[in-house]
Amino acid sequence: MLNAERSAVTGPRVQLMATCLCDAFYDDMARATVEVLEHAGCAVEFPEAQTCCGQPAFNGGDWAASRKVVRHAVRTFTGDAPVVVPSGSCAAMMFHGAVLEFEKEPDLPAVESLGRRTWELADFLVNGLGVKAWPGRYDAKIAFHRSCHTRGTGTAAAAVQLLRSIAGVTVVEFGEAEQCCGFGGTFSVAFPKISTAMGTLKLDHVRAAQPDVLVSADMSCLMHMGGLADKAHAPMKTQHLAQVLRDALKNSGLL
Amino acid sequence: MVTEKIDQFAATLPAEKRRSVYESTKATHEKRTKVLFDHFPDPNRLRLIAGEIKQHVIENLDTYLPAVEAKLQSHGVIVHWAATAEAANEAVLGIMRARGATKMVKAKTMVSEEIELEPFLKKHGIEALETDLGEFIVQIDHDHPSHIVRPIIHKSRREIATSFEREGLGAYNDDPGTITRRAREFLRQKYLQADVGLTGANFVSAESGRIVLVTNEGNSRFCLAATKCHIALVGIEKILPRDRDLALLLNLLARSATAQQLTVYTEFISGPKAASQPDGPEEMHVIFVDNGRTDVLASECRDILRCIRCGACLNVCPIYRQASGHAYRSVYPGPVGAVLSPLLAGEKFPDKVDLVKASSLCGACNEVCPVNIPIPDLLLRLRDKAKREGAPSCGTPPMGAWALLASQPTAWKAALFGGKVMNYLPLNLLPIPAAQAWLKTRTLPAWRGGEFRRWLKNRTR
């Protein structure tokens, strides 16, 4: 089980960890995260020096390289404000993966301390800030993909709670929800046959529930499933949870 | 792109085999989940407790093993210690020879697969017949098990019926009931002819010295009822502290393995037949097998020794479901095998190192494990070990340059901007293996490096 122990949230200040995927591809999702956090009353800071959480090298087995990147993150996210990241995967890297690869390193306490104040977005809103329901309107049937790195954390329950509370949203269930979408970082290119089969199966299950949009707390899963659907000429609308929360506000003139 | 061996195996697996492995693992997994959550208010808590018990055992083997030895000896059991597979095989052979025995009936035991006992005995003129139906079919086909609990999950009943016909076990008939009956008729004679019965052990209680065996076919009972000598091959990690721990572990094992409340047969064996008992083996040997386990115990991956061989991680694993067990080229397939096989390979670790990459690290295996083994963490530790030891595996792109970039903000921002060139290049034509592997079945979104930072800088609130 992942170590999900968190320091209590005391003030409005938060530091945004935008993820390398947003930095490179998904700027709208990072913008949505800022707007959602601000709507929830947060003062969002963006430490300019940030890069990546270190997970690609950690999963690839190059822990020495990964630790270099994690040390950079520790230097970048200073202070005691919560660090909020719109990705269950990057959050788990900070509070679980990094701790694992630093267990014999002298700077383990600093890494653990960053881990304790790092939150995935939905988990932060519901379990950190105590948000019970989300205002606004979003007319859609939503299939929510529970990303693997949120297993054992508060993310999936928090995300579904927020989605269900939005006027107009129906959350639809689909088969084999516990199964991975097949992305897995370098896994997707080193095991292309298996990865594609996993993603296709996931899409089949999602499609059977006939959602209007596929939503997740992790953009990497959506990049994989959306990319597969596009390539197969059967596009599937995907949105990150932050985008749904932001659009719900917009649709009701709250933003 | 040079893809990993397991992916290549999956790519060539006949669709029918993949479908049958997928469907039966999925069905078993779903039944397992239903049964556990129907029967217990909080099965996750039980998994954590069971995990702690097994972890306690493996971290205190130095005291438990001598205690178990003394207990077993006090019951008249002859205890052997085998450091290696060769030593375990020799111990079995020695017992057979001392009795002038040439025929053995075997219950299902993964350790015997691990030490390759059957071919070893065959070389020395001893017939060791499998009596578990699945293992029997594997044996007559000169095949290997592809699942820890269900060795012939990869075979269809048509294939089995063909094998039976070939072996003179009746005309072609693929009715499962008929196949089972024919195997039973054949095996009944073999039990009576055998000199020695060999079993594994699911658990050994340190408190009472009881060996616990679970089966569904009752074949281990026949092995012991009809022969005069019982040999139990036992991995040194199979110990439980107390008899009462069995209440938890047996409940979890059957539900996790086959979604049963309890297996059809649960045997508790305390030693050879006592003078007052009418039948049963007059002689009993327990061979404790190390075969690399103490090296695992000394490693950072010792948690894998908690494993009780239920197969739940195989059933839930998306990679196992797509590739099937033989893809792992090991006695232990699936997530547990991806950890255990490279570890048990010892010096041949590089030959099995690709197994630790055969995971999207999704963590479903950890979520179902009845002893809560953190399998993804162990796979990650082994990936780190492989990198440090320079063991080659094509699934790891070099990360040094990336790490340099990701620890220098100025260079990072420049790369975000420079990456825009990707939008104007025919990526699918460039000799970048990873890009080609990705683009074959997926599209890539447009590069928008740095756009978020620009928005944030320019926004007015």
Side-chain angles (χ1 to χ4, degrees):
Chain A
M1 284 294 158
L2 297 166
N3 167 23
E5 188 194 320
R6 286 294 165 282
S7 309
V9 179
T10 50
R13 282 181 56 231
V14 299
Q15 293 183 325
L16 172 66
M17 182 185 281
T19 81
C20 60
L21 214 55
C22 283
D23 234 354
F25 296 109
Y26 298 108
D27 51 309
D28 183 65
M29 183 199 126
R31 287 160 59 167
T33 306
V34 171
E35 291 170 335
V36 163
L37 284 169
E38 286 178 350
H39 183 84
C42 297
V44 181
E45 295 166 14
F46 179 78
E48 269 282 320
Q50 65 180 271
T51 56
C52 172
C53 66
Q55 188 173 187
F58 174 66
N59 287 357
D62 193 343
W63 286 15
S66 174
R67 282 193 289 261
K68 201 169 184 169
V69 180
V70 170
R71 286 197 172 102
H72 176 70
V74 169
R75 284 194 299 272
T76 304
F77 294 91
T78 51
D80 53 9
V83 174
V84 181
V85 51
S87 160
S89 183
C90 308
M93 177 63 200
M94 297 322 298
F95 62 68
H96 183 79
V99 175
L100 199 65
E101 66 179 352
F102 272 80
E103 66 187 3
K104 287 182 201 147
E105 301 293 316
D107 43 351
L108 173 66
V111 173
E112 283 182 320
S113 159
L114 176 57
R116 271 195 299 275
R117 56 191 187 92
T118 305
W119 297 76
E120 180 282 326
L121 175 66
D123 192 18
F124 178 72
L125 290 171
V126 172
N127 301 313
L129 294 180
V131 174
K132 298 272 185 289
W134 195 253
R137 179 159 200 98
Y138 189 97
D139 289 299
K141 266 166 66 175
I142 287 176
F144 182 76
H145 167 63
R146 292 162 169 79
S147 44
C148 292
H149 285 171
T150 65
R151 287 179 207 268
T153 76
T155 291
V160 170
Q161 180 186 335
L162 291 176
L163 288 171
R164 288 218 166 102
S165 72
I166 299 170
V169 168
T170 315
V171 177
V172 293
E173 299 296 328
F174 54 90
E176 295 194 85
E178 87 289 350
Q179 287 282 316
C180 172
C181 74
F183 175 62
T186 52
F187 173 81
S188 63
V189 290
F191 294 83
K193 164 76 185 171
I194 295 175
S195 164
T196 299
M198 287 162 67
T200 306
L201 191 61
K202 174 65 71 181
L203 279 172
D204 288 347
H205 280 303
V206 170
R207 284 206 172 93
Q210 299 184 306
D212 300 309
V213 51
L214 172 61
V215 175
S216 176
D218 271 279
M219 205 61 207
S220 52
C221 311
L222 295 177
M223 179 170 92
H224 186 235
M225 289 185 281
L228 278 171
D230 276 349
K231 189 78 177 189
H233 304 293
M236 162 76 66
K237 184 180 176 187
T238 59
Q239 275 206 306
H240 189 274
L241 176 73
Q243 293 170 304
V244 174
L245 298 180
R246 187 266 321 268
D247 289 356
L249 298 176
K250 269 194 170 167
N251 292 341
S252 300
L254 296 168
L255 196 72
Chain B
M1 176 86 184
V2 183
T3 55
E4 293 277 3
K5 286 181 200 158
I6 289 184
D7 200 61
Q8 292 166 19
F9 190 95
T12 54
L13 193 67
E16 188 197 1
K17 279 213 192 309
R18 178 163 41 246
R19 200 163 39 244
S20 82
V21 170
Y22 168 76
E23 277 167 11
S24 73
T25 49
K26 175 177 182 283
T28 307
H29 165 68
E30 286 172 354
K31 274 189 269 176
R32 164 230 167 249
T33 308
K34 186 174 182 322
V35 164
L36 270 172
F37 283 84
D38 279 357
H39 293 176
F40 300 112
D42 189 0
N44 281 325
R45 197 170 133 65
L46 301 183
R47 295 190 314 117
L48 301 186
I49 297 169
E52 282 171 19
I53 292 172
K54 286 286 303 200
Q55 189 73 15
H56 163 79
V57 167
I58 61 172
E59 286 177 5
N60 294 279
L61 272 183
D62 53 337
T63 53
Y64 278 118
L65 286 172
V68 166
E69 179 182 38
K71 198 56 124 176
L72 286 167
Q73 284 170 339
S74 75
H75 295 162
V77 178
I78 302 160
V79 178
H80 310 251
W81 299 95
T84 60
E86 294 75 29
N89 284 331
E90 288 294 343
V92 175
L93 183 63
I95 296 164
M96 298 291 288
R97 287 213 166 130
R99 299 183 59 87
T102 58
K103 286 186 163 51
M104 168 191 283
V105 277
K106 272 182 86 248
K108 181 170 161 39
T109 132
M110 291 307 291
V111 185
S112 72
E113 297 283 341
E114 185 186 314
I115 65 173
E116 299 179 25
L117 177 66
E118 196 260 351
F120 171 84
L121 290 178
K122 196 173 178 183
K123 215 166 59 194
H124 290 88
I126 292 170
E127 177 192 84
L129 187 77
E130 298 287 351
T131 60
D132 172 89
L133 180 55
E135 294 285 352
F136 174 70
I137 291 163
V138 165
Q139 188 173 38
I140 62 174
D141 280 353
H142 306 289
D143 199 354
H144 292 286
S146 71
H147 189 288
I148 291 172
V149 175
R150 301 155 76 190
I152 51 165
I153 193 169
H154 61 293
K155 285 188 194 289
S156 70
R157 60 196 164 108
R158 268 94 52 202
E159 288 174 82
I160 297 165
T162 307
S163 301
F164 270 48
E165 187 176 30
R166 185 194 63 223
E167 296 295 317
L169 296 168
Y172 181 95
N173 187 328
D174 62 16
D175 166 53
T178 306
I179 289 171
T180 309
R181 187 173 45 74
R182 286 173 172 177
R184 185 186 294 151
E185 282 165 9
F186 176 77
L187 289 171
R188 288 284 155 97
Q189 296 309 310
K190 291 290 186 179
Y191 289 122
L192 296 173
Q193 295 160 6
D195 309 299
V196 171
L198 183 128
T199 70
N202 292 94
F203 305 103
V204 182
S205 163
E207 178 185 20
S208 64
R210 284 199 179 99
I211 287 187
V212 183
L213 286 174
V214 300
T215 68
N216 277 322
E217 298 171 20
N219 56 312
S220 65
R221 286 195 168 195
F222 278 109
C223 286
L224 302 187
T227 57
K228 295 292 175 210
C229 174
H230 174 202
I231 304 174
L233 272 179
V234 186
I236 55 169
E237 79 284 14
K238 291 288 178 186
I239 294 168
L240 286 180
R242 305 161 300 183
D243 282 19
R244 59 179 292 187
D245 300 322
L246 289 164
L248 176 61
L249 271 298
L250 285 171
N251 268 303
L252 283 174
L253 175 58
R255 285 176 177 83
S256 301
T258 49
Q260 291 169 287
Q261 293 187 46
L262 205 57
T263 43
V264 178
Y265 299 91
T266 307
E267 291 172 78
F268 301 84
I269 303 161
S270 305
K273 126 184 157 58
S276 59
Q277 291 170 325
D279 50 30
E282 292 155 357
E283 189 176 311
M284 181 174 170
H285 300 262
V286 170
I287 303 172
F288 282 108
V289 181
D290 183 325
N291 197 30
R293 284 163 175 74
T294 46
D295 292 336
V296 179
L297 187 60
S299 78
E300 294 174 330
C301 295
R302 70 182 63 89
D303 298 12
I304 199 67
L305 294 176
R306 289 183 213 166
C307 176
I308 58 172
R309 307 286 190 266
C310 71
C313 63
L314 281 62
N315 294 334
V316 79
C317 178
I319 285 85
Y320 179 90
R321 286 180 180 184
Q322 292 294 334
S324 86
H326 288 164
Y328 292 80
R329 316 187 307 282
S330 306
V331 172
Y332 302 104
V336 62
V339 175
L340 198 53
S341 302
L343 284 168
L344 292 181
E347 285 174 8
K348 290 184 176 161
F349 177 68
D351 296 348
K352 295 285 165 70
V353 79
D354 65 300
L355 301 188
V356 307
K357 296 289 171 65
S359 167
S360 64
L361 302 170
C362 81
C365 46
N366 174 226
E367 213 168 59
V368 300
C369 177
V371 285
N372 192 36
I373 300 172
I375 292 175
D377 289 354
L378 303 185
L379 291 171
L380 283 158
R381 286 185 192 281
L382 289 174
R383 291 179 186 190
D384 173 51
K385 172 182 153 79
K387 168 76 182 170
R388 281 187 283 109
E389 294 178 2
S393 171
C394 56
T396 315
M399 288 288 177
W402 169 86
L404 204 63
L405 192 67
S407 45
Q408 294 179 349
T410 315
W412 179 263
K413 278 187 249 183
L416 284 177
F417 183 76
K420 284 200 171 155
V421 70
M422 277 174 47
N423 293 340
Y424 307 101
L425 292 175
L427 287 181
N428 55 335
L429 299 179
L430 294 180
I432 308 170
Q436 285 177 359
W438 176 272
L439 290 166
K440 201 171 168 200
T441 54
R442 312 102 168 162
T443 58
L444 201 62
W447 187 269
R448 295 181 55 83
E451 292 292 334
F452 168 66
R453 290 170 189 250
R454 189 168 307 126
W455 172 82
L456 199 64
K457 201 175 251 174
N458 296 337
R459 77 195 283 239
T460 48
R461 290 197 67 227

